[in-house]
């Protein structure tokens, strides 16, 4: 077994694969999907809708976490290369801990895409980064994200701080992950 990577060792995202998905480093063309998300009512749980310029600043700062912090978003695509969303580890200024987060395009909702990709990232964070836990910070009105956080093994923790008042904090114990990636 090799040592866990130091965060500063990872300047770009590795490619992760599951049975149906490929998780890769974001590219400029992926921004159009995030801009569309932030322009829509779907972004209400992420402080949106926001302008294209603000969406750019958010997305670019998230992608920049790779060279600066050694972890960040993975773009998610299916085996034919169709873009499906983004799942990754985020820790912008003000976040108490690294967060596991996700976004999928409308066509990917309800297909288990976010679950499969998030589970792959949980395993990668444990096996490569040596992390023992991650959290989700979720607006209490975002029932679908809360349900997903719990479906992938997280537990609600009222004793941990969120990033906003009232956040639902879901704790993922990476030491308890099973070997099988959820499909």
């Amino acid at each position: 077994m090799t040592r866990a990577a130091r965060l500063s060792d990872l300047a770009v995202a590795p490619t992760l694969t599951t049975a149906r998905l490929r998780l890769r480093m974001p590219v400029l063309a992926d921004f159009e999907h995030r801009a569309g998300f932030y322009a829509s009512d779907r972004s209400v749980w992420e402080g949106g809708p926001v302008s294209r310029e603000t969406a750019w600043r958010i997305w670019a700062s998230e992608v920049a976490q790779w060279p600066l912090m050694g972890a960040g978003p993975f773009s998610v695509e299916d085996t034919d290369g169709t873009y499906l969303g983004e799942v990754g580890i985020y820790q912008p200024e003000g976040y108490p801990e690294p967060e596991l987060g996700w976004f999928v395009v409308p066509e990917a909702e309800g297909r288990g895409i976010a679950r499969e990709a998030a589970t792959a990232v949980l395993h990668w964070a444990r096996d490569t980064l040596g992390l023992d836990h991650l959290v989700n910070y979720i607006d209490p009105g975002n029932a679908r994200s809360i349900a997903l956080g719990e479906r992938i093994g997280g537990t609600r923790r009222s004793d941990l701080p969120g990033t906003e008042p009232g956040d639902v904090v879901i704790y993922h114990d990476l030491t308890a992950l099973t070997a099988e990636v959820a499909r």
Side-chain angles (χ1 to χ4, degrees), residues 81-149:
T82 300
Y83 180 91
L84 300 171
E86 182 179 288
V87 175
I89 300 173
Y90 306 88
Q91 193 173 12
E93 184 64 31
Y95 274 38
E97 299 190 67
E99 178 196 25
L100 173 68
W102 46 77
F103 145 79
V104 294
V105 296
E107 303 79 35
E109 288 187 353
R111 296 175 39 203
I113 301 298
R115 178 183 181 164
E116 187 172 331
T119 301
V121 171
L122 288 170
H123 284 270
W124 174 80
R126 180 196 63 195
D127 298 343
T128 302
L129 300 179
L131 297 179
D132 64 2
H133 73 277
L134 284 168
V135 295
N136 306 117
Y137 303 119
I138 304 174
D139 184 289
N142 193 346
R144 291 184 75 180
S145 277
I146 292 168
L148 176 56

Side-chain angles (χ1 to χ4, degrees), residues 102 136 145-156 168 170 172:
W102 46 77
N136 306 117
S145 277
I146 292 168
L148 176 56
E150 293 175 334
R151 239 183 350 266
I152 60 175
T155 56
R156 291 187 197 206
V168 173
I170 298 178
H172 298 274

Side-chain angles (χ1 to χ4, degrees), residues 6-146:
R6 290 177 308 179
L7 289 180
S8 60
D9 290 344
L10 300 168
V12 297
T15 298
L16 308 179
T17 57
T18 69
R20 300 184 299 164
L21 306 174
R22 185 170 83 109
L23 287 69
R24 58 164 173 77
M25 183 72 188
V27 297
L28 185 57
D30 298 337
F31 171 65
E32 292 307 320
H33 300 283
R34 282 297 292 278
F37 167 76
Y38 274 116
S40 76
D41 290 339
R42 294 176 65 230
S43 68
V44 69
W45 309 120
E46 300 294 326
V50 300
S51 70
R52 183 175 176 84
E53 292 80 14
T54 299
W56 169 259
R57 287 182 186 96
I58 294 167
W59 183 79
S61 71
E62 290 171 350
V63 173
Q65 288 180 108
W66 279 108
L68 296 173
M69 301 172 73
F74 291 89
S75 289
V76 179
E77 57 189 23
D78 64 17
T79 55
D80 72 3
T82 300
Y83 180 91
L84 300 171
E86 182 179 288
V87 175
I89 300 173
Y90 306 88
Q91 193 173 12
E93 184 64 31
Y95 274 38
E97 299 190 67
E99 178 196 25
L100 173 68
W102 46 77
F103 145 79
V104 294
V105 296
E107 303 79 35
E109 288 187 353
R111 296 175 39 203
I113 301 298
R115 178 183 181 164
E116 187 172 331
T119 301
V121 171
L122 288 170
H123 284 270
W124 174 80
R126 180 196 63 195
D127 298 343
T128 302
L129 300 179
L131 297 179
D132 64 2
H133 73 277
L134 284 168
V135 295
N136 306 117
Y137 303 119
I138 304 174
D139 184 289
N142 193 346
R144 291 184 75 180
S145 277
I146 292 168

